[in-house]
Amino acid sequence: MKKWNVVAVKAAKGVEKLGCCTAYDAAFASLADSAGVPIILVGDSMGMTTLGYETTLPVEMTETLSATAAVARAVKDALVVADLPFGSYQCGDDEAMKNAVSCLKRGADAVKLEGATERILSLISRMTQSGIPVVAHVGMMPQSVNGYGGFKRQGKTREDAAKVFEDAKAVEKAGAFAVTLECIPSELAASITASLKIPTIGIGAGPVCDGQWLVMHDLLGLNEKVPSFVRKYADLANVVRGAFSSYVEEVKSGVFPPAK
Ligand code: KIV
């Protein structure tokens, strides 16, 4: 199986499309890795998928670090990206650097952070120059949900699209080795993809990106309600519920455990 690193991800642009996903624990990370997923993101979406919050905002750095360590221990070939949670890079550059370093010490190969303000661009430069590869994230940024007034598609007006385009160019210039394009029109994602040298990895951004992210719980059908752009590749919610209910019934009826 191909071993993925930052150089291989950059070299894949225009050659091979990347089907990437999130994982938050060793069991699922190992399965995704052995299936050939090239990049596994320890997403702050864990706040919603595994911790039961309404948004990603409550995720703590300690939670990201233990999930990153679990994923990194299980993965052999995929590139592991730790998603810096809200608050871990907003409260000062030195603290952001320390948190990113902690992710790499737990086994991540790179970190992801959202935005393209002057401050974030200088942080991306500082991280990349310090040996911390960065995946940027522009378009709809879930950590800005309160500013948007909900999870709202971005880049819909001409001005907003121009801003997302400029943001993508700026994060590339700052040193990011890939950029996430979340929930933007597919024509905008296509023109960004054509203009950048680094790979674009889209989620809800149409088919022309260099790769795609899907949240693991959505792609496996563990979440019953999913965004409209998601394709479910399995229906694990029913499989898992069925297994739990068979177990409960068999214990109740004495079929499990068997006498021998
Ligand atoms: O946290 C996450 O799952 C993400 C993806 C949507 C890219 O940031």
Side-chain angles (χ1 to χ4, degrees), residues 5-58:
N5 56 35
V6 166
V7 175
V9 168
K10 283 165 89 175
K13 186 170 176 104
V15 177
E16 180 183 354
K17 293 232 186 191
L18 305 172
C20 311
C21 70
T22 63
Y24 319 97
D25 66 20
F28 281 103
S30 166
L31 292 171
D33 182 61
S34 60
V37 172
I39 309 179
I40 297 179
L41 173 68
V42 186
D44 63 353
S45 50
M46 83 171 86
M48 300 165 84
T49 55
T50 69
L51 301 176
Y53 296 118
E54 292 291 316
T55 71
T56 61
L57 301 183

Side-chain angles (χ1 to χ4, degrees), residues 22 41 43-45 83 112 137 180 182 203 213 215:
T22 63
L41 173 68
D44 63 353
S45 50
D83 204 5
K112 179 168 87 56
H137 187 143
T180 298
E182 180 158 1
I203 174 159
W213 294 116
V215 167

Side-chain angles (χ1 to χ4, degrees), residues 128-178:
T128 51
Q129 282 164 31
S130 309
I132 304 167
V134 174
V135 178
H137 187 143
V138 303
M140 204 278 279
M141 294 172 285
Q143 293 178 11
S144 301
V145 62
N146 288 339
Y148 301 141
F151 294 107
K152 304 247 166 78
R153 211 165 176 70
Q154 300 295 304
K156 287 197 295 195
T157 65
R158 190 195 276 250
E159 298 74 46
D160 194 25
K163 167 85 175 73
V164 176
F165 187 92
E166 286 316 314
D167 285 352
K169 295 286 281 181
V171 295
E172 173 177 63
K173 191 162 173 232
F177 76 90

